[in-house]
Amino acid sequence: MTDDDPGPALRTAALEELLVERGMVDPAVVDGFVRTYERDVGPLNGATVVARAWTDPEYREWLLRDGTAAIAALGFSGPQGEHMVVLEQTDQVHHVVVCTLCSCYPWPVLGLPPSWYKDPAYRARVVREPRTVLAEMGLDVPPERRIEVWDSSAEVRYLVLPRRPAGTDGLTVEQLAGLVGRDAMVGVADVAGPS
């Protein structure tokens, strides 16, 4: 951004004003849409999907084979979730998700994207140097584990299925879901066990 560049917030406001002025957008509809994704839809939906997969092997297999259908079966679907692919973290491969073009993100399971996900630096660097970027975000991936970076698009959105932490054998689906944070479902964090 230069001194002459108004920045994305001002450009967005100017675009919204123009669309409203021409009758192409109803601000009340946009505000309602944002409120829904800020208050009612969020990472707890994705955490519920993860916890179910951890406790139900048949559901896990279905989720990995047909993420869209398996997620919709739990009631989570809608715009930005029409075609979902689920990537499972293993001891051999670590998955991390980015949208290099803009901020494509699985809204029905994770809500609105965090600011760092939309940041041009994250979008560019995680592709070129994922291990370094993950370490800077607090996640040290062992050198023997391969890192695969997945680029979300308008056609495909990704949800990462994190590894289940040790010490969680007796927990319910609800208790497990409470351990799963948004960042683990993007691949920039692990899930910590109960404290």
Side-chain angles (χ1 to χ4, degrees):
M1 191 167 85
T2 66
D3 289 342
D4 296 332
D5 187 339
L10 286 178
R11 286 195 302 270
T12 302
L15 178 62
E16 180 182 3
E17 187 178 316
L18 185 62
L19 292 171
V20 169
E21 182 182 294
R22 294 187 178 185
M24 301 174 76
V25 168
D26 180 347
V29 171
V30 173
D31 290 345
F33 198 65
V34 170
R35 265 196 310 277
T36 296
Y37 280 93
E38 284 181 344
R39 296 180 187 169
D40 303 330
V41 179
L44 184 57
N45 292 354
T48 300
V49 170
V50 169
R52 174 76 181 271
W54 282 347
T55 57
D56 182 341
E58 288 184 18
Y59 181 78
R60 177 185 156 276
E61 189 276 328
W62 182 25
L63 183 67
L64 295 173
R65 180 172 32 86
D66 186 352
T68 306
I71 291 168
L74 295 184
F76 310 131
S77 61
Q80 314 300 317
E82 295 91 349
H83 187 82
M84 296 287 305
V85 172
V86 178
L87 310 163
E88 184 177 35
Q89 304 288 37
T90 69
D91 290 338
Q92 292 76 40
V93 182
H94 181 89
H95 302 284
V96 62
V97 179
V98 66
C99 175
T100 57
L101 290 178
C102 51
S103 58
C104 295
Y105 197 70
W107 292 7
V109 285
L110 296 184
L112 297 176
S115 58
W116 58 260
Y117 185 82
K118 299 180 280 186
D119 187 290
Y122 171 78
R123 291 163 32 204
R125 289 187 62 223
V126 78
V127 174
R128 291 192 319 261
E129 47 182 351
R131 199 171 298 275
T132 301
V133 171
L134 292 174
E136 289 171 0
M137 296 179 83
L139 179 63
D140 290 317
V141 179
E144 66 273 14
R145 192 174 298 154
R146 186 177 75 249
I147 298 176
E148 294 187 0
V149 179
W150 297 82
D151 194 0
S152 285
S153 68
E155 289 78 32
V156 180
R157 307 299 164 101
Y158 298 99
L159 176 71
V160 172
L161 177 59
R163 286 175 292 141
R164 182 173 176 167
T168 59
D169 286 348
L171 299 185
T172 66
V173 169
E174 291 75 19
Q175 289 171 320
L176 288 169
L179 299 175
V180 182
R182 174 200 63 210
D183 291 357
M185 295 180 280
V186 179
V188 299
D190 279 331
V191 177
S195 50

